[in-house]
Amino acid sequence: MNQLCTKSCVPCEGGIPALTLQEATELHRQVPEWVISEDGKQIRREYAFKDYYRTMAFVNAVAWVAHVEDHHPELAVSYNRCTVRFNTHSVGGISVNDFICAAKVDALLP
């Protein structure tokens, strides 16, 4: 199990700086399938599924993770794909919370 999966998100209310590119790159090693945006302000991953039912089951599971962690992604959903994007608005970029949730979303699938 990824060590990020054992952590929980900590509320961010501003005043905390976004991760530097070096800090984000270090955490990225634990979720290598995710992509850091060119501007360094979000991470994203696209998941592919066999059919709509499996896609929606995944989306609902992601919603549960977001609810439990109180850290909510942007989702782009289609018939057999879902793109998940995390960033932390209050810091204006990427936080540790984004990587924690990315790891927990990855853990939803075998």
Side-chain angles (χ1 to χ4, degrees):
M1 174 184 283
N2 184 317
Q3 72 176 1
L4 286 169
C5 287
T6 65
K7 299 182 180 205
S8 294
C9 291
V10 176
C12 294
E13 301 204 7
I16 299 169
L19 294 176
T20 66
L21 186 55
Q22 182 179 356
E23 291 168 328
T25 301
E26 187 67 31
L27 288 168
H28 182 250
R29 291 183 184 136
Q30 295 182 61
V31 287
E33 297 85 6
W34 288 72
V35 175
I36 299 174
S37 64
E38 287 185 26
D39 64 4
K41 294 189 182 227
Q42 73 172 358
I43 58 173
R44 68 174 160 67
R45 180 170 179 195
E46 184 174 300
Y47 296 86
F49 300 94
K50 186 175 180 178
D51 54 37
Y52 186 73
Y53 174 79
R54 286 173 178 83
T55 304
M56 293 311 296
F58 173 76
V59 167
N60 285 320
V62 170
W64 178 250
V65 169
H67 171 71
V68 169
E69 294 299 328
D70 197 22
H71 193 68
H72 305 90
E74 293 181 25
L75 302 174
V77 180
S78 61
Y79 174 79
N80 64 348
R81 295 195 178 284
C82 180
T83 301
V84 182
R85 290 181 184 89
F86 281 106
N87 71 337
T88 304
H89 297 285
S90 63
V91 303
I94 302 172
S95 73
V96 174
N97 290 347
D98 299 310
F99 287 98
I100 290 169
C101 286
K104 290 184 178 197
V105 168
D106 280 351
L108 295 171
L109 300 174

